[in-house]
Amino acid sequence: MSRLFFLLSGEHPTLPVSELVSILEAEKKAFKLAEKLDQVVRIEADVDCVASIKRRAAMVRRCCLELFACKAEYMEILDKASETPFEDYLLENESMVVRIRRVKNSAPTLDRLKLERDLGAAVVNRKRDVKVDLRNPDKTFFGVITGNRFVFGVSLAEILGGEFASRNPMKKPFFHPTGLPAKLARCMVNLARPKENDLLVDPFCGTGSILIEAGLIGCQVLGLDVSEKMIKGTRENLRFYGLDPEGLIVSDSRRLPISKADCIVTDPPYGRSSSTLGFTTKQIVEVFLQEALEILPSRGKICIASPVEVEISKLGCKSGFRLLESHLLYVHKSLTREISVLEAA
């Protein structure tokens, strides 16, 4: 096993870490958490797990092979660098660059640009024929200043957020204001821990955001919605991204017309723009959870979002699920979502 570290997005305090762990568990990657820092997680795992993280993650920004970690103090960083065999990580004729990222206002007295230059010099001292290329390097040495810690290594993968922005609700052919942002939909899919080819069901599929993100990582997907208009819109959106669902069904989620699912990921209707057939979200979710328990296998998971007032975690436990985790996500002054992961007994 190797020591790896991951730079996480800073948009939520707990979701990025949970998503990373969920992907590793879903992909059956052996790992050990070494340290959680602000927007950085250090783990011990095989390097091949990076491919899975890059393919699936929404809230991971960079994956790196760790070379050293220390206090965020200039002389200690340079001492560690002087002991590091950088030549072992550079192939013949490879160019390189050193990049440093500061999380929030960590260690403000550390000059980030000076640190980049001096660490670059440390690399050159170990391999004098290496070329520095600031624009298009073959290899990037990457460091993060976070809190009172500094972590440094070789970048193995960078995950750009642009692809998720291109799939946000207003970019899809069929738009509805209740659509989930692509990044949140992908994160929720990962929290349910599906494997490739697992059947993921969304009983309130709306515009298909969750189904799209699940389909793009290789899940089989099946969507249900009480609105025929939404089902037609979901079909249009799935086709736009080249995805072919197992089925799209006009159905009341309180009486699911299916017998099994490997996992469920969903965002039940709430708010003035949603159709709830005259019932409250809490009433709908209570009945739905009983239905969900019947179609999930033992230890099958459901990731569900709902307004915090619904108390989805309590409803889940009352229905016979085990609560694995819960996250609060502020959206605006009248909506805070609770995102819960529940496991069937």
Side-chain angles (χ1 to χ4, degrees):
M1 298 181 102
S2 301
R3 179 62 61 85
L4 306 172
F5 73 89
F6 300 85
L7 175 65
L8 309 177
S9 70
E11 59 209 281
H12 192 272
T14 59
L15 279 172
V17 177
S18 289
E19 183 194 36
L20 175 65
V21 169
S22 296
I23 294 171
L24 293 168
E25 292 179 352
E27 298 283 330
K28 308 295 185 188
K29 303 296 185 183
F31 72 98
K32 180 181 178 181
L33 279 172
E35 188 176 20
K36 293 182 184 179
L37 302 164
D38 194 355
Q39 287 185 229
V40 172
V41 172
R42 302 171 66 214
I43 70 169
E44 293 177 7
D46 289 335
V47 173
D48 67 357
C49 76
V50 170
S52 298
I53 300 299
K54 184 177 181 180
R55 182 173 65 87
R56 295 183 57 150
M59 296 187 176
V60 176
R61 288 291 159 265
R62 198 178 285 264
C63 314
C64 300
L65 176 68
E66 182 179 310
L67 299 183
F68 66 84
C70 62
K71 291 181 181 178
E73 295 177 359
Y74 183 77
M75 291 309 301
E76 184 166 344
I77 292 170
L78 291 190
D79 285 344
K80 287 286 187 180
S82 68
E83 300 167 358
T84 301
F86 293 111
E87 66 274 16
D88 292 349
Y89 303 95
L90 286 162
L91 300 177
E92 197 67 31
N93 298 319
E94 270 195 320
S95 60
M96 71 86 188
V97 71
V98 173
R99 295 296 184 211
I100 306 295
R101 168 76 182 272
R102 189 192 309 273
V103 172
K104 298 172 185 172
N105 195 37
S106 298
T109 59
L110 266 182
D111 186 326
R112 185 179 61 82
L113 295 179
K114 176 177 171 54
L115 197 55
E116 286 183 349
R117 290 193 299 269
D118 291 347
L119 286 173
V123 176
V124 171
N125 285 339
R126 296 300 297 246
K127 189 172 175 62
R128 295 194 174 276
D129 60 343
V130 69
K131 296 179 180 178
V132 176
D133 187 337
L134 301 180
R135 294 188 175 183
N136 189 31
D138 296 312
K139 190 149 290 174
T140 297
F141 290 94
F142 189 78
V144 184
I145 306 166
T146 173
N148 64 351
R149 300 280 283 159
F150 180 72
V151 190
F152 192 71
V154 179
S155 180
L156 301 176
E158 183 178 10
I159 302 169
L160 303 176
E163 67 163 293
F164 292 102
S166 71
R167 292 196 299 274
N168 276 337
M170 294 189 70
K171 301 293 180 68
K172 294 183 172 76
F174 176 73
F175 169 76
H176 192 273
T178 59
L180 280 179
K183 190 183 294 185
L184 178 59
R186 174 66 67 87
C187 180
M188 288 179 62
V189 168
N190 285 323
L191 291 178
R193 299 158 173 82
K195 303 184 298 296
E196 190 171 1
N197 294 319
D198 273 1
L199 178 61
L200 181 146
V201 174
D202 183 353
F204 306 92
C205 67
T207 63
S209 294
I210 288 169
L211 299 180
I212 289 167
E213 296 307 316
L216 289 173
I217 64 168
C219 295
Q220 300 179 63
V221 297
L222 190 152
L224 304 94
D225 202 283
V226 72
S227 166
E228 183 177 357
K229 177 183 177 182
M230 289 296 193
I231 288 294
K232 289 180 177 178
T234 290
R235 180 180 294 113
E236 183 180 0
N237 285 343
L238 285 168
R239 285 176 176 170
F240 183 76
Y241 293 103
L243 298 171
D244 185 20
E246 295 300 299
L248 295 172
I249 307 170
V250 178
S251 171
D252 186 340
S253 66
R254 295 170 300 165
R255 292 182 293 276
L256 294 174
I258 57 176
S259 59
K260 65 178 182 178
D262 292 307
C263 65
I264 295 172
V265 181
T266 196
D267 179 36
Y270 43 84
R272 290 174 295 178
S273 300
S274 303
S275 174
T276 59
L277 300 178
F279 296 93
T280 66
T281 300
K282 190 167 187 175
Q283 289 172 327
I284 292 172
V285 169
E286 278 187 295
V287 180
F288 158 68
L289 286 172
Q290 292 294 332
E291 289 281 297
L293 200 57
E294 295 297 318
I295 68 170
L296 285 171
S298 175
R299 302 190 70 181
K301 295 171 182 61
I302 173 171
C303 181
I304 182 169
S306 64
V308 67
E309 296 81 11
V310 173
E311 298 182 305
I312 187 64
S313 295
K314 291 184 179 179
L315 290 183
C317 294
K318 180 181 176 182
S319 298
F321 286 92
R322 288 190 291 265
L323 177 65
L324 298 185
E325 56 189 283
S326 179
H327 310 266
L328 296 182
L329 179 63
Y330 176 84
V331 181
H332 50 70
K333 65 179 181 180
S334 59
L335 175 61
T336 295
R337 286 190 177 104
E338 181 181 8
I339 299 172
S340 294
V341 182
L342 307 167
E343 183 178 70

